Amino acid sequence: MIIRPAVRSLCTGAVVLAVGATAIAPCAALAPLPGYRPPGSTSGSGTEAPALPGEVSALSWVVADATTGDVLASKDAHRHLPPASTLKTLFALTVLPHLPARRVHTVTSADLNGLGAGSSRVGVVEGRAYRVDDLWRGVFLSSGGDAVHVLASMNGGWRKTRDEMRERAVQLGAQDTRVMSPDGYDTPGQYSSAFDLAVFGRTGLADPAFARYCSTSVAEFPGGVERSGRADAPYEIQNTNRLLAGTQDVSPYPGLIGVKNGYTTEAGNTLIAAAHRDGHTLIVTVMNPQEGTVYDNARSLLDWGFSAAGKVRPVGSLRPPVARTSTTSAAGPAQTPADAALMATHHSTTRKASVLGGFAAVGALLASLSASLWLLRRRRRR
């Protein structure tokens, strides 16, 4: 088998960027902060903050540190737009924990019902037995809507999977996402945002299985079934993420580690891309470029992000405001020391409040008893 892995708080509107090296700025404080200098100028430490690339034409985009969750810059980060197949990242976060990779399933006609006209396909056929991990490679490499339908059927059905995806988005603090079709197919009322897609990508990279699938450039996929019932030979599939695969005159991006691309008529081109360089892992989301390709836009933003690392003040965070619900095989990003300290403080405060509340309740009870005894004594005296 051929498998080649490759090495909430933002304002919408204008591009958001702050310079310096201090804590995350809340939305209300995104105006110039103390020590702020425009991009391209020199900060007090003598380091130069690079100017944002002018050739990025996407309607919405985000550049974030995948390790810390810090958002370094953005444009219309919470704008509601069709996500296309990048929504399959949320599908994977939702369904991966429930289906063992080596489980084998024979596809039925019911599994493929409802596959939209023009949907991308990896070549799943009725009557063929597939392993779950083969189907996931079909999802991540070929963006196979047919593979998504089969996995959703194995997960309990299309509607159940849709509802679970909505719940998962809430758990992750992704408030800009409304799932109508788990495969990302254009459906009225379905939308996501550059911010939420960055959350999905960052969360997925913390799961080894997700990271392995999304970084695979080339793999073999099981062939179909002959009339005699004999299985055809497997065939090669290649990742449609051109920054990863280096196809169709797009040079592979150095250090790219996935994540997922997409395209529909309504969404245009969309992309979640992550790369690692010089000790930094960045995640970039690009939605619907108006000029140039989605890969050119992502490349420019990744280049800027790596040059800006340590020179810009975060303008928000991908981390949810509460602890993320995790599972064995699809947990969120590992808890950072800051997250751990925050949760420890929360639990300590909760315990203290509980103890103080107990003391207060006992005190109130004693005061009530004391008042009752006093009234009883007065009545007796009369």
Side-chain angles (χ1 to χ4, degrees), residues 95-338:
V95 178
L96 261 174
H98 305 311
L99 302 178
R102 295 185 178 277
R103 178 177 166 184
V104 177
H105 176 76
T106 300
V107 175
T108 67
S109 59
D111 293 336
L112 298 173
N113 281 344
L115 191 61
S119 292
S120 55
R121 300 170 185 246
V122 64
V124 174
V125 295
E126 179 185 347
R128 181 69 158 93
Y130 296 89
R131 289 197 342 177
V132 166
D133 56 355
D134 285 325
L135 293 171
W136 281 120
R137 281 187 280 273
V139 170
F140 278 93
L141 275 70
S142 297
S143 202
D146 46 1
V148 171
H149 273 257
V150 175
L151 290 166
S153 179
M154 295 174 68
N155 186 58
W158 200 245
R159 290 186 178 181
K160 177 177 180 289
T161 300
R162 178 202 64 190
D163 293 343
E164 289 179 350
M165 289 173 66
R166 292 175 177 178
E167 293 174 2
R168 188 71 170 119
V170 171
Q171 292 173 358
L172 296 171
Q175 301 177 23
D176 303 322
T177 297
R178 186 185 184 204
V179 180
M180 300 300 291
S181 181
D183 58 357
Y185 190 79
D186 283 338
T187 307
Q190 178 160 274
Y191 53 80
S192 189
S193 70
F195 179 92
D196 285 6
L197 294 181
V199 169
F200 302 152
R202 177 178 183 253
T203 305
L205 290 176
D207 173 18
F210 183 109
R212 183 172 64 253
Y213 292 131
C214 82
S215 64
T216 298
S217 179
V218 178
E220 284 186 346
F221 193 78
V225 179
E226 297 177 358
R227 291 183 179 180
S228 63
R230 181 180 178 180
D232 288 333
Y235 53 90
E236 185 177 280
I237 58 175
Q238 190 167 52
N239 203 307
T240 56
N241 181 350
R242 298 178 197 173
L243 277 187
L244 179 70
T247 54
Q248 299 187 32
D249 297 326
V250 176
S251 300
Y253 191 85
L256 198 81
I257 49 179
V259 174
K260 188 74 186 75
N261 59 312
Y263 173 80
T264 65
T265 303
E266 292 186 19
N269 285 286
T270 59
L271 178 67
I272 306 172
H276 182 80
R277 183 189 301 173
D278 300 328
H280 295 282
T281 301
L282 296 181
I283 190 158
V284 163
T285 54
V286 178
M287 302 190 77
N288 201 350
Q290 303 300 290
E291 294 182 8
T293 70
V294 71
Y295 303 107
D296 291 337
N297 277 239
R299 187 186 300 273
S300 295
L301 290 172
L302 284 168
D303 286 345
W304 176 86
F306 284 118
S307 65
K311 302 174 185 176
V312 295
R313 176 180 304 155
V315 296
S317 175
L318 300 179
R319 295 190 301 274
V322 295
R324 181 178 283 107
T325 301
S326 62
T327 62
T328 302
S329 63
Q335 193 177 49
T336 65

